Amino acid sequence: MTSQNTTATPPSSGDQHEPSVAEVFVGTGRGIRYIGFLESTSPDRVPDPATVAALPVGREFLTATCDADFRTALDTLNEAWPMCGFGQAGSGFNRDLATQDKWRRTDRHVSGTYTLDGRRVLYLPDGPPRLDDAEYDWHSITLTAGQLTTHRGTTLAGRAREAFDRARHQNHDPDPGLGPAFLQRAALRRALVRDVADVFEVARTAVTVTDDPDRQHGGWNWFLVTITDDGTDYRLICFNGTVDELRVLGPCPECDGEVPLIAANDPAALGRYLDARATGTPVPCPPGLTSGVGHTPACPIREDL
């Protein structure tokens, strides 16, 4: 048994396009029980303790001392992990997939393993355990004092927590499903986070993508993008999940309701909108985007679908 501080490690996936997965268990040896996973896609770092500790809920997970706290922390981390742009996650696999002969998957690269053994969380880098884990050198996890302290807004952990708070504020009841449609939409949200961060040259943790609770088309919610910069939130929206279709959410010039306005697919387009707002110039609603959502009932340009 060794002790390991939460220092970052490079991705260990053999394929740069292959997700790296850290699987989560309770117990060791033949009594091991599979309960979840954390996934990260290159070029993100693997879900090692240093990366998990970037989130306050991740530190709760790493420092759990009993089964109930460990599972609860994993459930919360499962919600926060994709919302903060790290990748996919899953928890609660304690029935059909829990037994030793059912949890093993061969279609993904396992870069590490977490387990709760007694009253401590252990970490095994470089792959999954086998039934006989006597040969494996499980690492105990030690968080430094600096990593236990979160300075909101200035550290990665603080920015990630703020992103999680914004996501929960925007969407109080995210779809917890794990079906193919949900996973595909979750992948679109993560890709949109990366694209928005690249196009607008902001940190990925400053971008939150959730489902718009009000706007739907064909049974799917629109994508709501929030960029937080210097204490200001910029809200953008699109239906198909691409930067090219993003529009600024702003006040309707007739009723002042929050509606889609000017295209915001690059910083210059967003700058035109901000300049218009700063000078008091009304920004017109584009044709085809004047449906009732966001407009007041008496708005003269409102169109009911």
Side-chain angles (χ1 to χ4, degrees), residues 11 20 25 32 47 65 72 91 99 156 169 175 221 242 257 262 271 296-297:
S20 294
F25 299 85
I32 198 168
T65 58
T72 299
S91 65
T99 58
L156 170 61
H169 176 74
D175 183 357
N221 292 75
T242 66
I262 193 171
T296 63

Side-chain angles (χ1 to χ4, degrees), residues 180-216:
F182 171 84
L183 295 177
Q184 181 180 10
R185 189 166 178 84
L188 285 174
R189 282 196 292 264
R190 292 194 304 275
L192 187 53
V193 166
R194 296 186 179 96
D195 291 345
V196 169
D198 290 342
V199 168
F200 292 95
E201 297 183 359
V202 295
R204 191 179 300 176
T205 51
V207 182
T208 306
V209 178
T210 62
D211 290 344
D212 187 290
D214 302 316
R215 295 172 178 85
Q216 290 187 345

